[in-house]
Amino acid sequence: MNNKIKKLICSISTITLLAIGCSFANAQSEKIQEKLSQTQQDVTKLLNIKDDTSISEEKKISLEIELKKKIISDVINISLDQIANAQSQLDDLKIPDSQEWKSVRDYFQKIIDQTRDYYEDRRKEFDNKETWTLDDVKVFAKAMEEKRSLEIDKNLKRINSLILTVNVSQILNLADERLSKISSDVDRIYTKKLTKNPTLKTMLEGAAANVKKSHDLNDEAYQVVLNLYTEDKSTSTQDFILNLKKKIVDIKEFEALIDSKTKTEPIKIDSSLITNEDLDGYLISLTSQTYNQIKSAYETFVKMSVNVKNYLK
């Protein structure tokens, strides 16, 4: 592959990654999705221009510059929309009324403000530049893509993890209500001696265990949020993170041992190698496990409800 082709692929890849990178944030609005779709169509047009042998090289360069500029401009607009969406979600989030949780909100508010400022600065820089070359476009796009992949995408995912962690509490409240209702019904069935079959009791115990496990996982997730996403650098916070890293090390070492072929020697991992992404991933895992436990409880509730209705009809 010659250098000219390498440079061409690098230029297209940067623009493509920049456009696709915007789609990584979760909970997108329909408006944002529509803009993303249009931008991805423009990326396809850009690739088609490169392959079009009927266009002169001079015309290709001109078309490339204009189309890449449009993509960059659209990406800035989409990114600002995403930040506005994140701001709206943070504003609507029903977090506990405490100083600790205020610190968490302030932590994410700072991230949103800084990200908004970054894209507003890029917008001004873009609009104020009168003359563009292909290299100018490439440098501008690469800087934005690197900023997004190394920092912004991770922060948007953290905001989404916060939202999921807090919102799962509301689902847990509904699960508690459902458990209370079906527990009352089951008590009535056995009190009235409508059946001697212990199946309903066994299923109820299983569902109750799922709900309790959900609470335990959600409580742990809350503690991770309070200690991980805050400007507080107190000794207790640092100790919590240190212990969390050790827990993640234990998990990774166990997984590595299971995956190893020999399984004869313990695999050691230095806790200093645990990254912020590992900590983020642990929170996501807790929230995912919480949802799964609730899901299992509701599956049992559904199975029980048929028999409960038959006994109490």
Side-chain angles (χ1 to χ4, degrees):
M1 184 183 294
N2 61 43
N3 290 333
K4 182 177 180 181
I5 295 177
K6 285 182 180 179
K7 289 180 180 179
L8 170 62
I9 292 176
C10 181
S11 175
I12 293 176
S13 297
T14 301
I15 292 289
T16 303
L17 286 172
L18 181 62
I20 294 176
C22 287
S23 65
F24 289 164
N26 294 311
Q28 305 286 12
S29 68
E30 184 176 341
K31 175 184 175 184
I32 294 175
Q33 291 290 3
E34 289 176 358
K35 289 184 178 181
L36 279 169
S37 177
Q38 180 58 54
T39 301
Q40 287 163 355
Q41 289 177 32
D42 288 337
V43 170
T44 301
K45 289 179 184 177
L46 178 61
L47 297 173
N48 291 337
I49 288 174
K50 288 294 184 180
D51 294 333
D52 194 338
T53 57
S54 67
I55 303 176
S56 67
E57 287 302 314
E58 183 178 355
K59 183 64 174 176
K60 279 185 180 182
I61 292 174
S62 176
L63 290 172
E64 282 180 46
I65 291 175
E66 291 308 309
L67 193 50
K68 287 179 179 180
K69 283 174 59 181
K70 181 179 184 303
I71 292 171
I72 290 174
S73 180
D74 288 346
V75 165
I76 293 174
N77 291 337
I78 292 170
S79 298
L80 287 169
D81 285 343
Q82 288 176 330
I83 296 306
N85 190 43
Q87 180 69 72
S88 177
Q89 290 180 310
L90 184 63
D91 290 342
D92 293 340
L93 197 61
K94 292 179 173 58
I95 63 173
D97 184 16
S98 70
Q99 185 57 46
E100 285 182 314
W101 278 96
K102 182 181 181 301
S103 296
V104 172
R105 187 185 290 278
D106 290 345
Y107 174 88
F108 283 106
Q109 185 61 60
K110 182 179 179 181
I111 287 174
I112 289 175
D113 290 343
Q114 290 175 340
T115 307
R116 184 191 299 111
D117 290 345
Y118 171 79
Y119 281 113
E120 287 178 347
D121 288 343
R122 297 292 74 70
R123 165 54 63 198
K124 292 176 183 176
E125 182 182 356
F126 181 87
D127 291 343
N128 290 335
K129 186 172 179 59
E130 297 180 356
T131 305
W132 291 82
T133 66
L134 278 176
D135 283 341
D136 290 336
V137 174
K138 177 182 175 181
V139 170
F140 196 98
K142 184 177 181 182
M144 283 180 56
E145 192 277 324
E146 288 180 348
K147 176 76 171 180
R148 179 148 201 131
S149 62
L150 294 176
E151 179 182 332
I152 294 174
D153 276 338
K154 295 173 183 177
N155 284 332
L156 289 175
K157 289 177 181 178
R158 285 174 185 134
I159 293 173
N160 191 61
S161 293
L162 169 70
I163 292 167
L164 290 175
T165 300
V166 173
N167 286 346
V168 75
S169 297
Q170 299 176 26
I171 301 175
L172 262 174
N173 290 336
L174 295 175
D176 287 336
E177 292 175 6
R178 184 70 181 273
L179 177 61
S180 178
K181 172 65 170 60
I182 204 163
S183 295
S184 176
D185 289 340
V186 170
D187 284 343
R188 287 170 58 198
I189 289 171
Y190 286 104
T191 299
K192 292 182 178 181
K193 299 181 180 180
L194 300 178
T195 181
K196 294 182 180 180
N197 190 324
T199 299
L200 279 178
K201 282 186 178 180
T202 302
M203 294 176 73
L204 180 62
E205 290 170 357
N210 290 137
V211 173
K212 182 182 183 304
K213 182 64 175 178
S214 297
H215 278 287
D216 292 342
L217 290 165
N218 193 232
D219 289 345
E220 184 179 357
Y222 266 38
Q223 289 304 309
V224 172
V225 168
L226 290 173
N227 286 278
L228 199 59
Y229 303 135
T230 176
E231 298 293 342
D232 177 19
K233 302 302 179 185
S234 65
T235 300
S236 60
T237 297
Q238 293 180 28
D239 287 346
F240 180 93
I241 294 176
L242 180 62
N243 289 330
L244 179 56
K245 286 184 176 182
K246 290 178 180 178
K247 181 181 289 189
I248 294 173
V249 165
D250 290 342
I251 293 172
K252 285 181 174 288
E253 287 180 348
F254 178 75
E255 291 175 344
L257 181 62
I258 294 299
D259 292 339
S260 66
K261 294 181 179 179
T262 59
K263 300 183 182 179
T264 56
E265 297 182 5
I267 298 172
K268 294 298 180 183
I269 298 174
D270 193 331
S271 62
S272 65
L273 299 178
I274 300 302
T275 65
N276 288 334
E277 286 69 38
D278 290 322
L279 298 174
D280 294 334
Y282 185 78
L283 174 62
I284 293 171
S285 174
L286 287 175
T287 303
S288 176
Q289 291 178 66
T290 305
Y291 275 108
N292 287 337
Q293 289 292 330
I294 295 173
K295 179 175 178 287
S296 295
Y298 267 90
E299 287 174 348
T300 303
F301 291 154
V302 170
K303 293 176 182 177
M304 292 178 68
S305 64
V306 176
N307 289 330
V308 169
K309 288 179 180 177
N310 287 335
Y311 285 123
L312 297 177
K313 64 182 178 180

